[in-house]
Amino acid sequence: MAEKKETNEKMEAIIALCKRRGFVYQGSEIYGGLAGTWDYGPLGVALKKNIENLWWKMFVDDREDMYGIDAAILMNPNAWIASGHVGGFSDPLVECTKCKKRFRADLLTDKTKCPECQGTLGEERQFNMMFKTNIGATEGEGSITYLRPETAGGMFVNYKNVVDSIHPKLPFGLGQIGKAFRNEIAPRDFIFRVRELEQMEVEYFVHPKTWEEHFELWRKEMWRFIEAVGIDKSHVHELEVGDGDRAHYSKRTIDFEYDFPFGRKELYGLAYRTDFDLKSHQEGSKVNLEYYDEETKEKFLPHVIEPSLGVGRTMLAVLSEAYTEDEMGGEKRVYLKFNSALAPTLVAVFPLLKNKPELVAKAREVYAMLKNKLGRVSFDDNGNIGKRYRRQDEIGTPYCVTIDFDTLGEEKPEYKDTVTLRNRDTGTQERVLISDLVAKLK
Ligand code: ATP
């Protein structure tokens, strides 16, 4: 019990920090919110972009066999009929006969009793999670389409376009980052389960005989990414998903589960989608999607390995890893231990006092130089220096640079053109020559 309280407290502290410091706000907050939606503030956008850029670099740009895609969210509804989503993208739903609250049956330990009011739960039924919408000025059967529930679909329908325009050799993959929408029965746990989410997905096309080899290679890549974003690998656990529990398109799935403060839950999925999607789209569209191998003269439908990573869940895991409380200078301190690849701000530059024009001018000069060389640099002259350190610690800035009177060399000429460089994690400060700063920070 005590442990549960502790972990809930951690979650609450993370949510409060996210709001206080401009990472994540409740969606439509001034109207009382909208369940399952969250808005990313200035710091959250920066963190999210750093996660996405790192994924794009590792999964697309650094590889010769990967190509980017940015497909439309709205697609011809026949694509979702062919892919099986209209018929089968559903979760089991139960409703309480007393309080009328709805729950996802597969997440309940007791499927007969309402976890909120102890009333009796009704019959289980399948609830399709796709958001329906109408396209064009007239509403009716013919105008219905869906907001995509996964980014994957846009890659399967563009597979032939890429083959015909880029002529990649098998094996090759498509990578996409984008929004997906799921009308989750019970959105919960902050940004963990939302109705409007963002995914970073790869559809990797292989010869059917080689799927196991490529499954293993992508499995390793996923672990490499987990490490690169600063998640302790001992907090992530692979789960082989059993026969009855896999998505309708998958012959093998490994879930990567993370020890979130509210329990061990899915972070990412790795699926072997066979030729299910290309075959279904070939039948649905009546367009031949076979790959022709010029060397072997073989014609076949490639099979697909899909590493699927949620942006929000990555961010939540990264925040859970980074959130740290300690004591510094006899006071309690909260800070985010982001690694340098992800920190929204890499260095913050301060003039010791904001009412001394000579200090401000020098600090502005150092700021401009660092900003130009390192990009993620901010300028802060608000409040006393202790408060500024505290603020930067809370948003996870690894380094702070302070320009003081010694920088100007007024009293101690030997310190001229040096600044103090403070380390977030240890709080230690050292004097560094301005001309050495970039090399030192890199
Ligand atoms: P869950 O079992 O938690 O509902 P899932 O198995 O349906 O997840 P997938 O369809 O495999 O999830 O989606 C791939 C990835 O997209 C997930 O591993 C997760 O990172 C992310 N994701 C899926 N649904 C959501 C959601 N509702 N909110 C946030 N992220 C999500």
Side-chain angles (χ1 to χ4, degrees):
M1 210 50 207
E3 200 199 329
K4 190 150 187 230
K5 186 162 176 280
E6 242 169 59
T7 55
N8 285 344
E9 272 172 13
K10 179 171 174 182
M11 209 42 219
E12 277 161 26
I14 290 173
I15 296 170
L17 189 155
C18 280
K19 179 168 179 181
R20 186 168 70 243
R21 293 295 181 201
F23 282 90
V24 184
Y25 315 115
Q26 193 186 355
S28 317
E29 188 175 343
I30 61 168
Y31 286 97
L34 178 69
T37 66
W38 295 89
D39 295 342
Y40 289 86
L43 273 288
V45 172
L47 178 57
K48 192 155 82 73
K49 287 249 177 274
N50 292 342
I51 290 170
E52 291 173 357
N53 290 345
L54 185 62
W55 181 91
W56 194 266
K57 178 172 163 25
M58 289 176 69
F59 282 43
V60 181
D61 278 350
D62 283 354
R63 301 177 59 118
E64 274 184 47
D65 55 350
M66 284 294 304
Y67 303 88
I69 280 281
D70 191 355
I73 288 173
L74 297 173
M75 297 204 325
N76 186 314
N78 289 330
W80 296 116
I81 294 170
S83 68
H85 285 83
V86 172
F89 192 69
S90 47
D91 272 342
L93 169 90
V94 280
E95 189 175 287
C96 174
T97 51
K98 197 166 145 203
C99 71
K100 305 289 173 208
K101 284 224 169 92
R102 292 170 159 198
F103 305 93
R104 224 176 102 173
D106 58 329
L107 299 182
L108 295 176
T109 23
D110 182 352
K111 292 189 177 60
T112 58
K113 212 189 276 166
C114 174
E116 304 249 325
C117 78
Q118 312 305 313
T120 312
L121 293 176
E123 283 277 301
E124 187 175 310
R125 65 184 170 91
Q126 289 301 315
F127 172 75
N128 194 303
M129 291 200 291
M130 281 204 296
F131 280 99
K132 253 187 205 167
T133 187
N134 287 283
I135 209 151
T138 45
E139 281 189 23
E141 271 308 302
S143 68
I144 286 174
T145 189
Y146 306 89
L147 301 187
R148 67 183 179 201
E150 55 176 17
T151 63
M155 291 187 269
F156 293 121
V157 301
N158 278 293
Y159 153 83
K160 185 173 156 48
N161 282 335
V162 175
V163 169
D164 290 348
S165 54
I166 310 283
H167 311 292
K169 292 253 173 309
L170 222 60
F172 75 92
L174 302 179
Q176 177 168 230
I177 299 177
K179 293 243 176 175
F181 302 81
R182 297 181 180 190
N183 198 0
E184 293 279 355
I185 294 167
R188 62 193 306 151
D189 297 322
F190 192 34
I191 52 175
F192 174 80
R193 186 175 300 289
V194 293
R195 290 188 168 130
E196 179 173 336
L197 55 133
E198 224 157 328
Q199 293 180 312
M200 307 179 282
E201 291 195 304
V202 165
E203 304 306 326
Y204 197 73
F205 301 93
V206 304
H207 189 285
K209 279 193 190 141
T210 64
W211 78 266
E212 276 157 314
E213 176 197 325
H214 291 290
F215 192 90
E216 288 310 315
L217 288 172
W218 280 107
R219 188 180 190 170
K220 287 205 186 95
E221 283 304 284
M222 290 174 78
W223 278 108
R224 218 162 62 82
F225 183 75
I226 286 165
E227 214 175 353
V229 292
I231 297 174
D232 185 332
K233 292 208 282 191
S234 71
H235 299 157
V236 180
H237 315 270
E238 287 189 6
L239 173 81
E240 189 76 44
V241 182
D243 279 349
D245 296 326
R246 282 191 301 268
H248 62 278
Y249 48 72
S250 173
K251 255 210 176 137
R252 185 178 179 199
T253 298
I254 291 179
D255 281 351
F256 287 69
E257 297 190 317
Y258 174 73
D259 294 324
F260 287 99
F262 43 86
R264 188 173 290 183
K265 298 271 164 65
E266 177 176 333
L267 174 66
Y268 305 141
L270 174 65
Y272 167 44
R273 290 181 81 128
T274 68
D275 59 355
F276 175 87
D277 299 273
L278 289 184
K279 201 191 224 162
S280 309
H281 289 303
Q282 179 167 270
E283 280 164 18
S285 65
K286 311 272 183 284
V287 174
N288 188 340
L289 297 178
E290 282 172 318
Y291 177 85
Y292 177 64
D293 189 323
E294 281 171 17
E295 274 165 38
T296 62
K297 311 287 178 225
E298 207 185 344
K299 241 184 175 180
F300 56 92
L301 279 176
H303 281 213
V304 169
I305 308 297
E306 176 192 70
S308 179
L309 292 78
V311 178
R313 288 190 191 179
T314 306
M315 192 195 271
L316 188 52
V318 164
L319 282 164
S320 310
E321 290 287 318
Y323 184 89
T324 316
E325 289 177 6
D326 68 358
E327 250 191 44
M328 193 168 275
E331 279 183 47
K332 190 186 146 201
R333 165 175 89 131
V334 169
Y335 71 106
L336 293 174
K337 222 183 210 170
F338 291 140
N339 70 21
S340 301
L342 294 196
T345 304
L346 198 57
V347 196
V349 179
F350 313 149
L352 181 66
L353 300 169
K354 79 173 190 186
N355 54 0
K356 296 282 174 204
E358 63 277 34
L359 285 181
V360 175
K362 191 72 190 167
R364 282 267 165 214
E365 200 183 289
V366 173
Y367 164 72
M369 183 272 290
L370 290 178
K371 182 110 183 139
N372 181 266
K373 297 272 193 307
L374 303 170
R376 282 177 283 143
V377 181
S378 69
F379 186 86
D380 191 355
D381 60 4
N382 210 351
N384 69 39
I385 216 81
K387 270 201 183 130
R388 288 184 238 167
Y389 283 146
R390 193 150 290 229
R391 187 157 57 232
Q392 295 300 331
D393 286 348
E394 271 208 343
I395 63 170
T397 305
Y399 299 100
C400 292
V401 164
T402 303
I403 282 74
D404 55 19
F405 290 107
D406 287 341
T407 312
L408 307 177
E410 283 176 0
E411 279 177 25
K412 298 180 196 147
E414 70 275 24
Y415 280 158
K416 188 166 165 44
D417 287 330
T418 63
V419 292
T420 55
L421 179 65
R422 175 186 178 269
N423 178 301
R424 173 196 65 202
D425 299 346
T426 57
T428 50
Q429 300 184 16
E430 55 177 319
R431 281 214 85 90
V432 178
L433 267 168
I434 294 170
S435 53
D436 289 345
L437 264 179
V438 171
K440 184 118 193 146
L441 288 165
K442 271 190 172 163

